[in-house]
Structure formats: structure tokens, C-alpha cells
Amino acid sequence: AVISVSFASIFIRLCTAPSIVIAFYRLLFATLILTPITLYRELNELKGLSRRDTLIMISIGSFLAIHFAFWITSLEYTSVASSVTLVTTHPLFVCIGAWLFLHERITPSLLAGIVIAILGCAIIAYGDYGIGGDTLIGDLYALIGAIAAAIYFICGRNLRQRIGLLPYVTTVYASCTTILGVSCILMDTPLHPYPVMDYLLFLALAVVPMIFGHTVLNWALRHLPASVVSASVLGEPVGSTMLAAVLLGEVPSIIVLFGVIVVLCGIYLVSRSIS
């Protein structure tokens, strides 16, 4: 999942469409792919969902929409390393929320691993930091995306204990798609036409970082604490930074590479804390 989501920022950077359109098609294509599978395999469970759970999943979809809308927009203002680093600070918010609302125990080693990994993310951001209003706007958007992602993971952890993967992600992705589509209409942002390559990139975003990324993370939420699943995504800045260097020519500095090592050390501690 972490490897898959690392490709997201690269695909987004290669698109020419507006950020909100990229987010919409990413979720639309993922929903279209998953819906027939869900209807074929999990129709009975889908029909049996309570109104309360359905409304909660729709709410979760709204936070997912906020996450994608703000994070993808942040990539227009700041670098891949800074954007992905800041959006993956959500484990801090997840730990607080999981402790307050889900009564999950935060062990010292788990907390230490998360803090070290976030410190590594901060080092990456510092090494790639640019001074200017646009950069600060991008950083703020990425941080808003992080807060929305934290709520998404916390709520998902609770529901995934009793709802199957396919009914859950299909409902959440469908509601997210609807919200993003309405947002495009309200913002008077055209959904077409765009270059054929953009639509291929939309499909790539749906298959790789969405289905093999977010969907696998949602599968893990049934088996692991929300704080652990969220912390694992701290590997995304590492993958995205390396991919950006190879595919986009954004070569990381020595400071960024040092930050990558620190992030990996933090993730190692998190892994050890649940072994």
C-alpha cells in the first residue's frame, strides 16, 4: 500500500487538469472498478447496512474528499517532498484521536517511532523548503489534508471492525466522488475535455494509489490499530521523494536523504512495537 500511494504525487504532477478534477476522476474510476465487484460478491451485506452506518460512511467520504482536494492542490504550490511530507503528519492527529475516541493504547515505543518518523519528515521538508507565499499556501493545504486524513483513518478503524472491506470502500469512495463532482459544478470547473494522457493518468491514480493503496490500507484497519496503519503511510515521503528524483528530476539534497533514513528508522520502531 505504501509503495502504491507513493506514485500518487508523480501521476498528479504529470496531469494538466485542475486539482479538483484530478481528485474527482481518481475516485470516480476507482468507484466504477469496485462497484460491480462489490455488487457481485457482497450484495447481501451491502443491502444489510444500517442507515446509521451508511450515513457515517458518507461522512467519512466527505473527509476523504477534503483530504484529496487540499493535498492535490498543495502540489501546485510546493514540491513533492514538502507536500507529501506534510500530508503524512496525520499520525500525530490519529494517535490523539484514537486515544480519545477509540481507547487505543499508545505504547512508548509506538509513540517514539511515530515522533522519530515525523522528525524525519520535517527534515525532508526543511531540505526541500522554499521561501515564499505560494510555498506557505501549499504547506497549509497539505496540513489541512493531513487533518482530514486523520479523521478518515480514525472513523474507518471503528467501522471496519464490523463492515466488510468492499461494502465499506465502495460506499466511502462513491460518496467522496459525489462530493468532489458537486464541488466541480459549484466551482464552475469543467470535467472535460482534457488530453487523453490525463484520462490515462486518472485511471492510473484509481488503480495504483487508490485501489492498491488506500483500499489495502482500509483492509489493514480491520487487523491493526489506526495509529499503526496511519504511521505506516509515513513511508510515502520516502517513496515519493525517490520517484520524483527519477521521474521528475527533483533530485533530493543530502538533508532530504538524511530525513529519509530517519523516517525509515521511525517506521522500524513502529513495526517492532506491534511485533
Side-chain angles (χ1 to χ4, degrees):
V2 173
I3 292 172
S4 296
V5 296
S6 296
F7 280 91
S9 58
I10 308 303
F11 293 154
I12 292 167
R13 270 295 183 85
L14 295 174
C15 290
T16 62
S19 300
I20 192 72
V21 173
I22 297 173
F24 168 73
Y25 277 111
R26 172 179 179 170
L27 271 296
L28 175 64
F29 287 163
T31 303
L32 291 176
I33 292 171
L34 290 173
T35 296
I37 301 174
T38 303
L39 292 176
Y40 176 73
R41 298 187 57 182
E42 306 290 348
L43 182 59
N44 289 334
E45 182 176 357
L46 199 61
K47 289 181 177 180
L49 292 174
S50 68
R51 179 176 298 181
R52 179 177 179 274
D53 285 345
T54 301
L55 290 175
I56 293 175
M57 285 188 284
I58 291 174
S59 299
I60 293 174
S62 68
F63 285 108
L64 185 61
I66 294 171
H67 164 70
F68 282 130
F70 278 92
W71 172 60
I72 292 176
T73 302
S74 75
L75 287 166
E76 297 180 5
Y77 297 95
T78 189
S79 68
V80 168
S82 294
S83 173
V84 177
T85 295
L86 289 171
V87 83
T88 49
T89 57
H90 53 72
L92 278 182
F93 304 108
V94 168
C95 277
I96 295 172
W99 176 63
L100 288 174
F101 302 111
L102 301 181
H103 307 294
E104 291 184 0
R105 181 170 173 265
I106 307 299
T107 64
S109 59
L110 174 60
L111 184 60
I114 291 174
V115 171
I116 290 173
I118 290 178
L119 175 62
C121 288
I123 294 172
I124 294 175
Y126 175 79
D128 196 60
Y129 183 70
I131 300 176
D134 287 347
T135 300
L136 293 176
I137 290 174
D139 292 345
L140 177 61
Y141 284 172
L143 187 59
I144 293 174
I147 296 173
I151 299 173
Y152 166 68
F153 277 116
I154 293 171
C155 296
R157 168 64 173 170
N158 186 30
L159 280 189
R160 280 287 291 120
Q161 300 309 300
R162 61 179 185 275
I163 297 177
L165 176 64
L166 288 175
Y168 174 78
V169 296
T170 302
T171 304
V172 170
Y173 294 174
S175 65
C176 182
T177 301
T178 303
I179 293 168
L180 290 170
V182 172
S183 299
C184 288
I185 295 172
L186 294 177
M187 296 169 63
D188 198 25
T189 304
L191 294 176
H192 66 86
Y194 294 102
V196 174
M197 181 54 67
D198 272 11
Y199 290 100
L200 293 176
L201 288 168
F202 298 156
L203 181 60
L205 280 165
V207 174
V208 182
M210 203 67 229
I211 293 178
F212 288 103
H214 275 261
T215 303
V216 174
L217 290 173
N218 279 302
W219 171 83
L221 282 173
R222 189 161 191 166
H223 308 280
L224 295 170
S227 52
V228 174
V229 175
S230 178
S232 70
V233 186
L234 284 166
E236 184 180 355
V238 179
S240 294
T241 300
M242 297 300 102
L243 287 169
V246 174
L247 301 177
L248 302 179
E250 293 185 8
V251 180
S253 64
I254 297 298
I255 295 177
V256 171
L257 290 177
F258 175 68
V260 167
I261 295 173
V262 175
V263 170
L264 291 175
C265 290
I267 293 175
Y268 173 75
L269 284 178
V270 170
S271 300
R272 284 291 301 273
S273 71
I274 61 170
S275 62

